[in-house]
C-alpha cells in the first residue's frame, strides 16, 4: 500500500481474534429468492447479478412462508455451472448479513420461524432502534464483524503498547503483522535469493506496522486491523478478580477502589465514560514520551 494524504488518520490495531466470545450472527456472500422448491435443482453462473464462486454461501428463501427448503446453501461445481448443496438451518430470530449482490447487497435477513426444521427469512429494511437517522454502531456489527483482544496500536508513525489488553470490535481476520511467521530462507527465487518478508522480527513495511523504523519485536500470530480514527467501534474492558474487588470496591469504596487504573468515588462513576483513565507507566515503543498529558486521566474524587 502506497502512502497517501489520509495516512495520518489511520489507526492500526494489533492483537488476536477471540475464540471463546463470538457475535451471534452469520454472514454469507449472496442471497436468492426462489418461487418453488423445484428451482433449487437449477444450475447457474450468477446470483443476484454477481458471478458465483465455488464454496460460496448463499441464503435461499423458497416461497413466502416457512418451509423445509429455505436456508443457507453451499455452491458446488456442476459441469461448467454451479448448483446448491448442503442446506444449513439458522436458529430462530438470528440475523444473516448479505455482503454482495445488486439487489440484496448489505442487507439483513432475519429467520422468523419458531421452528428449526421450517425456516422463513424476511429482509429487514431497517434495524435501527433509536430515533436518530444514523446507525453508526449497528452498522459495524454486520458482515465479518468479530471481537479481538488488542495489545497495542500504531498511530501517526508511532507504536503504542496498551497498559493492558482490551477487547475491540474488528472486521475480518486482519493481516499478519509478522509476514506469516516465515523463517529466514523460507522463500527462494530461481536465482536462490531469499525473498522472505521477515517482518516478525523487524517490521519494515509502514503499511503493516504504521511506523518508519522500529526497535521492537512483534510476537508470532499477531494480526493487524486498519481503521480511520473517525470510525465507530466497540470497546470492552474486562476485569477479573474477587467479587469484592470487581464489584463491591467499585460501588462502596472499600479499601482502595481501583478498577483498570480508574479511581471510583462512592457509588457513582464520575463522568461515566472513562477514556484512558490514569495511564501510569504506559509503554510507548519507539517513542520517548516525557511529561505526556493524558486527557481525562484524573477521575473525580481522586
Amino acid at each position: 500500500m502506497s502512502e497517501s494524504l489520509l495516512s495520518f488518520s489511520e489507526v492500526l490495531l494489533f492483537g488476536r481474534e477471540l475464540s471463546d466470545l463470538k457475535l451471534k450472527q452469520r454472514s454469507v456472500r449472496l442471497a436468492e429468492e426462489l418461487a418453488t422448491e423445484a428451482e433449487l435443482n437449477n444450475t447457474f453462473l450468477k446470483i443476484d447479478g454477481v458471478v458465483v464462486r465455488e464454496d460460496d454461501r448463499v441464503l435461499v428463501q423458497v416461497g413466502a412462508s416457512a418451509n423445509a427448503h429455505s436456508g443457507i446453501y453451499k455452491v458446488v461445481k456442476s459441469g461448467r455451472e454451479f448448483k446448491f448443496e448442503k442446506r444449513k438451518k439458522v436458529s430462530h430470530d438470528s440475523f444473516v448479513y448479505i455482503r454482495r449482490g445488486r439487489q440484496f447487497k448489505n442487507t439483513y435477513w432475519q429467520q422468523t420461524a419458531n421452528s428449526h426444521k421450517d425456516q422463513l427469512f424476511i429482509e429487514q429494511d431497517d434495524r435501527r432502534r433509536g430515533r436518530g437517522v444514523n446507525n453508526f454502531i449497528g452498522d459495524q456489527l454486520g458482515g465479518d464483524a468479530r471481537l479481538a483482544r488488542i495489545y497495542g496500536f500504531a498511530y501517526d508513525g508511532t507504536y503504542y503498547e496498551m497498559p493492558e489488553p482490551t477487547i475491540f470490535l474488528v472486521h475480518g481476520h486482519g493481516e499478519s503483522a509478522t509476514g506469516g511467521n516465515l523463517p529466514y530462507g523460507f522463500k527462494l527465487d530461481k536465482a536462490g535469493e531469499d525473498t522472505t518478508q521477515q517482518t516478525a522480527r523487524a517490521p519494515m513495511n509502514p503499511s503493516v506496522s504504521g511506523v518508519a523504523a522500529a526497535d521492537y519485536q512483534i510476537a508470532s500470530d499477531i494480526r493487524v486491523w486498519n481503521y480511520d480514527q473517525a470510525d465507530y467501534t466497540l470497546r470492552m474492558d474486562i476485569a477479573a478478580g474477587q467479587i469484592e474487588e470487581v464489584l463491591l470496591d467499585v460501588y462502596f469504596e472499600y479499601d482502595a477502589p481501583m478498577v483498570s487504573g480508574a479511581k471510583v468515588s462512592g457509588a457513582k462513576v464520575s463522568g461515566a465514560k472513562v477514556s484512558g483513565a490514569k495511564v501510569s507507566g504506559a509503554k510507548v515503543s519507539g517513542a520517548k514520551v516525557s511529561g505526556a498529558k493524558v486527557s481525562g486521566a484524573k477521575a473525580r474524587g481522586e
Side-chain angles (χ1 to χ4, degrees):
M1 182 184 297
S2 60
E3 197 76 10
S4 70
L5 290 174
L6 299 179
S7 295
F8 74 94
S9 67
E10 292 179 341
V11 178
L12 304 179
L13 302 179
F14 292 79
R16 302 180 70 195
E17 183 182 344
L18 293 177
S19 60
D20 56 350
L21 188 60
K22 302 286 186 179
L23 295 174
K24 187 181 179 182
Q25 67 174 4
R26 291 196 181 190
S27 170
V28 298
R29 187 165 181 253
L30 297 164
E32 176 82 323
E33 290 182 319
L34 302 179
T36 64
E37 170 194 348
E39 295 183 41
L40 283 171
N41 299 321
N42 296 341
T43 58
F44 47 82
L45 290 174
K46 292 184 178 181
I47 293 178
D48 196 12
V50 178
V51 176
V52 298
R53 302 179 304 212
E54 192 171 9
D55 295 330
D56 271 349
R57 301 291 176 176
V58 180
L59 175 66
V60 178
Q61 172 59 40
V62 179
S65 60
N67 57 75
H69 305 287
S70 298
I72 295 178
Y73 285 82
K74 181 180 179 181
V75 172
V76 297
K77 272 282 191 180
S78 179
R80 294 184 178 182
E81 296 184 323
F82 298 91
K83 66 178 183 178
F84 292 125
E85 189 179 81
K86 296 181 179 179
R87 173 202 182 213
K88 286 192 175 182
K89 293 166 279 192
V90 179
S91 58
H92 179 237
D93 277 344
S94 293
F95 284 92
V96 180
Y97 177 76
I98 313 301
R99 301 192 301 270
R100 297 290 305 277
R102 291 182 179 177
Q103 179 180 356
F104 300 128
K105 181 179 180 180
N106 297 334
T107 58
Y108 288 92
W109 295 65
Q110 186 176 20
Q111 203 289 93
T112 59
N114 192 11
S115 168
H116 192 59
K117 178 181 178 181
D118 296 330
Q119 306 264 281
L120 174 60
F121 296 90
I122 297 180
E123 182 182 354
Q124 304 298 305
D125 295 328
D126 194 348
R127 294 186 65 206
R128 300 186 178 99
R129 299 179 180 178
R131 295 186 178 182
V133 297
N134 64 61
N135 193 28
F136 293 141
I137 295 298
D139 288 342
Q140 302 305 313
L141 296 174
D144 51 1
R146 59 200 69 204
L147 299 173
R149 177 174 284 109
I150 302 302
Y151 295 91
F153 65 95
Y155 173 67
D156 204 15
T158 303
Y159 177 83
Y160 301 89
E161 185 174 293
M162 301 184 69
E164 58 186 21
T166 304
I167 297 175
F168 275 84
L169 177 71
V170 297
H171 300 83
H173 294 289
E175 297 183 33
S176 172
T178 60
N181 307 324
L182 299 178
Y184 180 80
F186 187 84
K187 289 184 177 180
L188 299 177
D189 59 17
K190 294 182 179 180
E193 295 293 330
D194 179 29
T195 60
T196 304
Q197 295 183 357
Q198 179 63 350
T199 59
R201 298 299 172 256
M204 291 302 168
N205 186 347
S207 296
V208 175
S209 65
V211 300
D215 58 357
Y216 56 90
Q217 296 181 350
I218 296 180
S220 298
D221 298 329
I222 294 296
R223 312 292 294 184
V224 57
W225 291 267
N226 190 331
Y227 290 94
D228 185 88
Q229 62 182 358
D231 287 337
Y232 277 75
T233 187
L234 291 177
R235 169 177 173 168
M236 292 183 285
D237 293 272
I238 305 298
Q242 297 176 335
I243 296 293
E244 179 183 22
E245 297 173 340
V246 300
L247 178 62
L248 301 182
D249 283 356
V250 176
Y251 284 92
F252 302 111
E253 200 173 7
Y254 292 161
D255 299 327
M258 300 292 290
V259 177
S260 297
K263 188 171 182 180
V264 181
S265 179
K268 183 179 180 182
V269 180
S270 301
K273 182 179 178 182
V274 181
S275 173
K278 197 175 183 180
V279 180
S280 59
K283 185 178 180 182
V284 181
S285 300
K288 184 176 181 182
V289 179
S290 61
K293 184 178 179 181
V294 180
S295 300
K298 186 176 181 182
R300 187 167 55 196
E302 186 176 9

